[in-house]
Amino acid sequence: MRISRLLRLGGLLGLLAGIGIDRSGAGENVVYGPPPAWVEEAPATTTTAVTKHASGLVYLLSDYQTDVAREEAYQRNTIKVLAENGLSACGELRLSFEPTYQTLTLHYVRILRDGQELSRLDPAKVKVFRRERNAEAGLYDGRLTALVIVE
C-alpha cells in the first residue's frame, strides 16, 4: 500500500511533505517521485481563528485518500505554526514503513513562509534506520523509520 502524506505549516512557517507507501514493492531505500495521478488534492487554507495552543501548532487540514485497486493511499495534513515550540516539533519528520512489503516514496517537503513556497526535500538529509521498540523482549518487527530533517 502506498501512503502519501502532505504536511503543510502556514503562518510564520509552512511545511508541505508528500510521502507514499506502496505495498506492491519492497526495499529498504526511500524513493522520490510525484504524488500518484489519481490523487485529488483538496484546497488548503492557511487561516484559522485559533491563535494559541499548548503544542504551538494547529492542524488546518487532514486529507486521506485510498485507491483500493492500486493498494495505495494518500495522506495530507496542513499545519499552522503558532509559536516557537511548534517550530521545533516540525523540525523533523519520522515516517515508519515495513520494507518487506512496503516502499516509502517521498513526494516533496516544502516550507510556506510569507506566502513563498520553498522546497526542502534533500535526499542527502533523509536517514533511514531500524528501530526495534521491543528488542529487550526479543520481539523484532523489521520496520524502518525514515527521518527527514527540515531546515
Side-chain angles (χ1 to χ4, degrees):
M1 174 174 244
R2 180 185 191 132
I3 300 174
S4 299
R5 296 181 189 151
L6 168 68
L7 174 64
R8 180 177 181 166
L9 305 169
L12 300 173
L13 173 75
L15 173 69
L16 300 100
I19 300 125
I21 296 180
D22 183 350
R23 286 191 187 266
S24 62
E28 293 196 9
N29 294 323
V30 174
V31 296
Y32 304 87
W38 57 265
V39 169
E40 296 178 17
E41 287 196 25
T45 180
T46 58
T47 60
T48 179
V50 178
T51 58
K52 290 184 181 180
H53 192 275
S55 67
L57 51 88
V58 62
Y59 281 79
L60 301 177
L61 173 72
S62 183
D63 180 22
Y64 188 84
Q65 301 175 40
T66 303
D67 186 318
V68 177
R70 289 184 171 95
E71 294 187 319
E72 295 179 353
Y74 176 85
Q75 181 178 345
R76 175 182 170 197
N77 296 304
T78 301
I79 299 173
K80 183 171 185 175
V81 174
L82 302 172
E84 193 172 326
N85 60 327
L87 285 174
S88 61
C90 296
E92 63 183 36
L93 304 171
R94 292 179 184 263
L95 311 162
S96 293
F97 64 103
E98 172 54 66
T100 59
Y101 65 92
Q102 295 176 326
T103 299
L104 178 67
T105 302
L106 293 178
H107 304 303
Y108 47 83
V109 175
R110 299 178 190 138
I111 293 176
L112 179 62
R113 182 181 295 139
D114 298 326
Q116 186 176 353
E117 213 171 80
L118 309 168
S119 177
R120 290 295 188 252
L121 179 57
D122 182 354
K125 293 183 180 174
V126 176
K127 307 299 180 207
V128 178
F129 59 93
R130 185 175 312 275
R131 182 172 168 231
E132 299 292 350
R133 295 183 181 170
N134 297 311
E136 308 80 35
L139 301 173
Y140 301 94
D141 64 10
R143 294 185 66 78
L144 296 178
T145 299
L147 176 64
V148 182
I149 304 298
V150 181
E151 297 178 341

